[in-house]
Every structure is written in structure tokens, then in C-alpha cells.
Amino acid sequence: MDPQTTEAIEWRRETGQVPYRDALAEMELRNAAIAVGEARELVWLLEHPPVYTAGTSAAADELLDPRFEVVEAGRGGRYTYHGPGQRVGYVLLDLTKRGKDVRCFVHGLEQWVIATLAIFGVEGWAVDGRVGIWTNDIDGREAKIGAIGVRVRRWVTMHGFSVNLDPDLSHFTGIVPCGIEEFGVTSLKRLGLDISPQEWDEALIAKAPGFLEDLASASGRHSCEA
């Protein structure tokens, strides 16, 4: 990775599970520190113990079976599941330095995940009006392989994305994932790929310069290009 990119952003990779509430508290503190120039930007890659998280648009009837702890996340979006086998990326960037365009930031996250999936031979895509990263499942039907959910405070981003490497897909049945009933959820394992968290992280980091360059380019335009 470009040394300047490394110096500007701290890359933190966890090998153990981090409780969701602990991660949320850490993000709040780091967000405030970045905003006042007391900390570097952060990309934090980790996994959580099983948890359902509720975004600001979560509807009560979309929580079907609260078998795990349910946490109000404060991010945009609806209900999401996190758990072992799912790699989460929390991206805390200062948009005052990277263009004050939340739409471009979200688009950039989507394209970053899609580019990383391509390294493993998986075609992914985003769909207007349907949050998340999509691919073709083993039955040929479209299914979600990654989720996107962000929050911006003081023009510093929080939360980010998750990608299903090898989670227990039955855990998603306790919610309507992201409020979308008509599509299923899949994983790299279900698609026949054994990808470790370390392999995923390395591939994601390899594609990070493109993500950051896209943000820099977008900051000079009036709108984000699809």
C-alpha cells in the first residue's frame, strides 16, 4: 500500500471477536478524536459474537425472532445480523478532507467491496433502492452477500460494511435483513469458497488505494458518478 495512505489511516485487524457494544463505544470515541484532529482516521476489521443491530429506519415487525441481543446501532438502515464468520469493516474517515459527500462515500464502500469480491472470482453489484452488495447464489437467484450501513457525525464517518465469509446463515432468519424480504442471503462459503478472515483482509487492503482515490476524485466533482 502507498506509504502516505498507511500514515494517514490506522489499519486495525482483530483476530478475536469484539462485542458489538464495545465496538460501538470505541467508534464514538474515535469519531470525536478524529473530528478534533487528535487521532488518525481508522479502518477496523473484525468479527462480532452473534447480535442483531437496529438502524434508524428499523421497523419492529422486521425483528422476527430476537434470539440474540438486539442493539440500537445509531447508523442508517434497518435490522442487520453480525456474527462469527462475517467480516465487518468499520471505516472512520474525515470527509472534510475527502469531500463532504455522503452519497459518494457510500458508493465508494460498495465499489470497494465489489472489487475485493472480484479478487476471489465472485461478481458482486449494487442495486439502486436496495441497500447492500448482491451476487448470484448457487440456485442462480440474486442474494445478498454484504451489507452497508453508515453514520456521519462531525463529518467523520462511522460503521461501514460487512461481508459474509462463512457465517451461520440460519441466524439471518431472526430478522428481515435490511428490510428486504424477497431476496435471500448467501456467503462465500456457500458459493464454494473457503476464504479466511486474513485472506479477506489482505485482499480488501490491496483494493483500498482505489477506494481512497475514488473519494479524492469525487471530492472535486459536484456529484458522485455511478
Side-chain angles (χ1 to χ4, degrees):
M1 182 178 294
D2 187 327
Q4 291 183 336
T5 299
T6 304
E7 291 171 7
I9 299 173
E10 177 187 351
W11 294 82
R12 189 185 304 174
R13 299 165 62 181
E14 305 287 353
T15 56
Q17 295 176 17
V18 179
Y20 187 80
R21 290 186 186 275
D22 292 353
L24 199 58
E26 172 66 18
M27 276 195 288
E28 293 278 357
L29 291 173
R30 188 61 172 254
N31 174 282
I34 293 170
V36 297
E38 294 180 353
R40 288 189 294 164
E41 297 169 301
L42 172 68
V43 176
W44 190 10
L45 305 175
L46 50 80
E47 293 185 8
H48 293 302
V51 63
Y52 294 132
T53 71
T56 54
S57 302
D61 61 356
E62 293 170 356
L63 181 61
L64 307 177
D65 176 13
R67 73 192 80 164
F68 305 120
E69 181 182 22
V70 181
V71 180
E72 298 286 337
R75 56 162 173 77
R78 297 162 95 159
Y79 282 107
T80 298
Y81 166 76
H82 294 309
Q86 182 193 74
R87 203 61 173 163
V88 178
Y90 291 134
V91 183
L92 286 82
L93 298 183
D94 186 352
L95 294 188
T96 65
K97 300 175 181 178
R98 300 183 183 277
K100 290 184 176 182
D101 192 324
V102 178
R103 180 172 174 267
C104 283
F105 172 70
V106 172
H107 175 77
L109 287 181
E110 291 172 341
Q111 296 306 309
W112 187 14
V113 172
I114 289 168
T116 305
L117 288 170
I119 289 178
F120 301 105
V122 175
E123 182 184 5
W125 55 84
V127 179
D128 285 343
R130 204 199 308 157
V131 179
I133 306 301
W134 303 85
T135 191
N136 285 322
D137 205 354
I138 56 175
D139 60 3
R141 299 181 63 187
E142 200 172 14
K144 174 177 280 191
I145 197 166
I148 302 282
V150 303
R151 182 183 182 188
V152 179
R153 291 185 63 195
R154 311 176 186 91
W155 284 110
V156 176
T157 63
M158 298 171 63
H159 300 278
F161 58 85
S162 61
V163 176
N164 300 328
L165 304 184
D166 183 20
D168 185 337
L169 295 178
S170 72
H171 289 178
F172 286 89
T173 61
I175 58 172
V176 178
C178 300
I180 302 172
E181 293 184 274
E182 59 268 38
F183 296 96
V185 178
T186 193
S187 67
L188 289 171
K189 178 68 173 181
R190 181 172 161 85
L191 298 178
L193 297 169
D194 289 307
I195 307 299
S196 70
Q198 294 74 26
E199 289 174 302
W200 173 261
D201 290 354
E202 292 295 338
L204 188 76
I205 291 169
K207 289 297 182 180
F211 162 61
L212 296 171
E213 288 166 11
D214 286 347
L215 285 185
S217 298
S219 69
R221 300 194 296 265
H222 292 296
S223 61
C224 193
E225 296 177 1

